[in-house]
Amino acid sequence: MLMLNDLTVRDGQQSLLATRMRTGDIIKIVSILDNAGYYAMEVWGGATFDAPLRYLKEDPWDRLRAIREVVTKTKLMMLLRGKNLVGYRHYPEDVITAFIEKAYENGIDIFRVFDALNDPNNLVYPIKVIKSLSKAVRNSGALLQIAIVYSISPVHTIEYYEKTVEEFVSLFEPDFITIKDMAGILTPGMAVELVKMIKKQGVKVNVHSHATSGMAPMTLIKAAEAGADLLDVVLSPLSHFSSHPAAEPMVEALRSLGLDPEINEKVLYRASKVLEGIKAKYSKYDYSKRGKVVDINVLNHQIPGGMISNLLAQLRDLKAEDKLEEVLEEVQRVRKDLGWPPLVTPMSQIVGSQAVVNVLSGRYKILLNETVNYLLGKYGRPPAPVNEELKRRAEEMARNAPKEAMGAKTLEDARRELSKVYVEKDEDYITYALFPEQALKFFEERYKKKLAKAVGLGWF
Ligand code: CO
């Protein structure tokens, strides 16, 4: 039977409300949606870990526990960026292990894992941990979804995806393969081909397609007809634009085609009404007030909308806004030279920044640090061979560069460095290892508040 995933409080608010939604509001939505009949709700991971810490002075672990308390019928899912977990760099193995185990203990049932380069080597360790999670915590054990990053390039052919999926299935035996179309460039035709190809390999398929180009609702419908098992949707108030297709019309459309996902629409209407009110509180961040409902540039340049606005901001800072078209073309050139990496975090930032530098100061006159690290293979295996000349230059630069001692913190570092007065629970060490600066600031304030409360005065 075809089923639906709800992404409202993770990807929905991350796409349209700059990940600013507070836990109290999230609880109001998920407690209603628990009765809708969704296969799962994606409620954690991605940017929803560091944004609460950074901007909302909220503990992401407390949020997860609060959600788990009110969601008793529906599975909870999180998005995990492979070895980058919920951050932007590769973390040490002890941090990866502790993070995944605690996420599971605190309520995550499904881990959706991806690597920006679709490099299985980057997925081996986190998946090993996911597969070894104790069934004693939850009687079913955790489920594994591997998301393959969808991109368009001369190497990202159906054959490339077939090989990638074969590799993932034989190495990791996932419960689902998710087609992750973060840019919203997956056509209905390609979706049909991919879904059929993945189904042939005997694994369940989930489709995740952002609405950026306007194609996603059509893409999901065709994917469903081709045999997809699971589709990602959000409640209508946070749908479309750079988010996802709306749940309510999707349910209706699927039912009309004999593919009833058996969702209680009354529950959706109730939740959407509540969400309308909540959304109004965040209007300062509301992308749907500024962005385009259909961003046709995505089809034109195949560059995600979020990335174009970042490039434009960079160019504005450099007083070179008129160079945008040139930079967009240079992006394709840089992608080719770097072996066509998909334009998803962190590759979208690396490729974009190098393209800006190329246009402003001459092609590859300056190689950015991140570009050098990428060329040295530090981000994983590029989808296609990289430009040999650039690789040679990167190797030379690495030989001559002073050795950097700045590695990511291990859990042991965290246990040694973090003052005991700040620690309330074991998870605090993980938070500190992931985002030392933000965590410290957060813990300091939490501690001050606790003290002030204890003495009954606000003399801080
Ligand atoms: Co997404």
Side-chain angles (χ1 to χ4, degrees), residues 212-258:
T212 322
S213 74
M215 284 192 297
M218 302 179 256
T219 299
L220 290 195
I221 289 290
K222 291 306 282 184
E225 285 183 338
D229 301 275
L230 197 51
L231 305 176
D232 289 356
V233 292
V234 296
L235 285 174
S236 54
L238 287 181
S239 68
H240 293 273
F241 296 88
S242 56
S243 183
H244 290 270
E248 299 93 323
M250 190 57 67
V251 170
E252 206 59 59
L254 289 168
R255 192 175 295 149
S256 77
L257 294 166

Side-chain angles (χ1 to χ4, degrees), residues 17 31 58 65 85 115 120 139 155 196 203 215-216 233 253 268 299 343 407 447:
L17 300 180
S31 54
E58 278 189 14
R65 266 196 293 267
L85 300 175
D115 173 64
N139 47 24
V155 297
K196 284 187 176 156
V203 58
M215 284 192 297
V233 292
L268 300 191
L299 292 182
L343 296 175
Y447 180 63

Side-chain angles (χ1 to χ4, degrees), residues 221-353:
I221 289 290
K222 291 306 282 184
E225 285 183 338
D229 301 275
L230 197 51
L231 305 176
D232 289 356
V233 292
V234 296
L235 285 174
S236 54
L238 287 181
S239 68
H240 293 273
F241 296 88
S242 56
S243 183
H244 290 270
E248 299 93 323
M250 190 57 67
V251 170
E252 206 59 59
L254 289 168
R255 192 175 295 149
S256 77
L257 294 166
L259 295 162
D260 192 349
E262 294 183 11
I263 296 282
N264 184 336
E265 280 160 301
K266 286 203 183 91
V267 172
L268 300 191
Y269 292 140
R270 193 144 45 87
S272 276
K273 196 144 198 275
V274 173
L275 183 58
E276 282 290 355
I278 289 172
K279 186 184 165 191
K281 293 201 286 189
Y282 299 93
S283 65
K284 197 165 104 192
Y285 305 104
D286 190 347
Y287 178 81
S288 66
K289 293 204 159 145
R290 295 173 284 119
K292 293 180 193 155
V293 66
V294 169
D295 178 3
I296 230 49
N297 259 330
V298 155
L299 292 182
N300 187 16
H301 298 289
Q302 292 155 14
I303 294 170
M307 187 178 165
I308 293 188
S309 48
N310 272 335
L311 288 173
L312 199 57
Q314 280 184 26
L315 289 172
R316 216 175 280 140
D317 285 345
L318 298 161
K319 305 235 178 315
E321 276 171 278
D322 57 315
K323 295 276 200 290
L324 182 65
E325 278 307 308
E326 234 177 293
V327 168
L328 294 177
E329 266 165 48
E330 187 65 17
V331 163
Q332 296 308 336
R333 170 70 196 239
V334 174
R335 270 190 89 195
K336 176 168 182 269
D337 289 333
L338 297 186
W340 298 104
L343 296 175
V344 63
T345 305
M347 293 319 303
S348 42
Q349 290 84 346
I350 298 174
V351 171
S353 303

Side-chain angles (χ1 to χ4, degrees), residues 10-11 180 182 208 210 244:
R10 208 287 297 169
D11 215 348
K180 181 178 168 68
M182 64 282 159
H208 177 91
H210 282 259
H244 290 270

